[in-house]
């Protein structure tokens, strides 16, 4: 049985992927998001966000979340690797996974809290495998 990649390699791959996502996914929305988020202090940012939160910003957030999930799902389903994983030579196993398996293993990336819990699970078990990777048989 193959063991998963080391946490530090996965972390670096994740950071690389987040840079790619910030350009590909967030780029088209950056003008709109910058106009919504203005302020120098946390209180000003919160107040600005609260006063400008509209259904449009909700839709933008929802679309960004779906595109982010699609980024990892599609690349891992089609190529067994995201861009970050390609650069660090990390692959998803088995070699051929279904679209649903790819989506299940990546759904945690929609919530920082769930992703952290998923990574903690990996740290306390053997084999460097996250809980959602086990659930998806990858």
């Amino acid at each position: 049985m193959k063991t998963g990649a080391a946490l530090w390699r996965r972390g670096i791959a994740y950071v690389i992927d987040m840079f790619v996502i910030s350009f590909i996914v967030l780029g088209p929305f950056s003008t709109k998001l910058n106009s919504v988020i203005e302020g120098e202090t946390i209180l000003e940012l919160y107040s600005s966000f609260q006063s400008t939160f509209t259904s449009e910003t909700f839709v933008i957030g929802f679309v960004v979340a779906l595109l982010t999930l699609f980024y990892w799902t599609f690349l891992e389903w089609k190529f067994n690797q995201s861009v970050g994983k390609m650069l660090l030579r990390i692959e998803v196993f088995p070699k051929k996974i279904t679209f649903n398996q790819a989506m299940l293993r990546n759904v945690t990336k929609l919530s920082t809290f769930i992703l952290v819990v998923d990574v903690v699970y990996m740290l306390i078990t053997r084999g460097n495998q996250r809980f959602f990777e086990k659930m998806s048989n990858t």
Side-chain angles (χ1 to χ4, degrees):
M1 177 177 138
K2 289 196 178 254
T3 60
L7 182 60
W8 69 268
R9 292 183 69 213
R10 293 174 135 207
I12 292 170
Y14 181 81
V15 169
I16 292 167
D17 286 325
M18 290 308 293
F19 277 113
V20 172
I21 288 169
S22 70
F23 287 110
I24 293 174
V25 174
L26 290 176
F29 301 107
S30 62
T31 305
K32 183 63 180 168
L33 292 173
N34 285 338
S35 68
V36 169
I37 303 171
E38 294 178 355
E40 293 183 17
T41 67
I42 298 293
L43 187 56
E44 287 175 354
L45 285 171
Y46 177 74
S47 178
S48 171
F49 181 74
Q50 192 175 24
S51 65
T52 58
F53 187 77
T54 63
S55 58
E56 184 181 20
T57 53
F58 176 78
V59 170
I60 289 172
F62 186 73
V63 168
V64 166
L66 285 179
L67 290 173
T68 299
L69 178 61
F70 184 74
Y71 166 84
W72 270 295
T73 301
F74 179 78
L75 289 176
E76 290 183 359
W77 168 63
K78 199 70 173 166
F79 305 107
N80 285 83
Q81 298 173 303
S82 62
V83 173
K85 287 183 178 105
M86 288 176 194
L87 293 173
L88 278 110
R89 296 186 188 131
I90 300 171
E91 290 185 344
V92 175
F93 288 96
K95 277 288 193 188
K96 189 66 183 150
I97 63 173
T98 67
F99 188 83
N100 288 340
Q101 283 177 301
M103 186 177 300
L104 180 58
R105 65 178 271 115
N106 288 300
V107 75
T108 59
K109 294 178 177 125
L110 294 178
S111 166
T112 303
F113 176 75
I114 295 172
L115 182 59
V116 168
V117 170
D118 205 26
V119 170
V120 168
Y121 174 86
M122 180 180 78
L123 294 173
I124 61 175
T125 60
R126 295 178 187 220
N128 290 339
Q129 193 174 27
R130 295 182 294 116
F131 179 72
F132 279 76
E133 292 173 341
K134 283 189 181 230
M135 285 180 47
S136 64
N137 294 318
T138 59

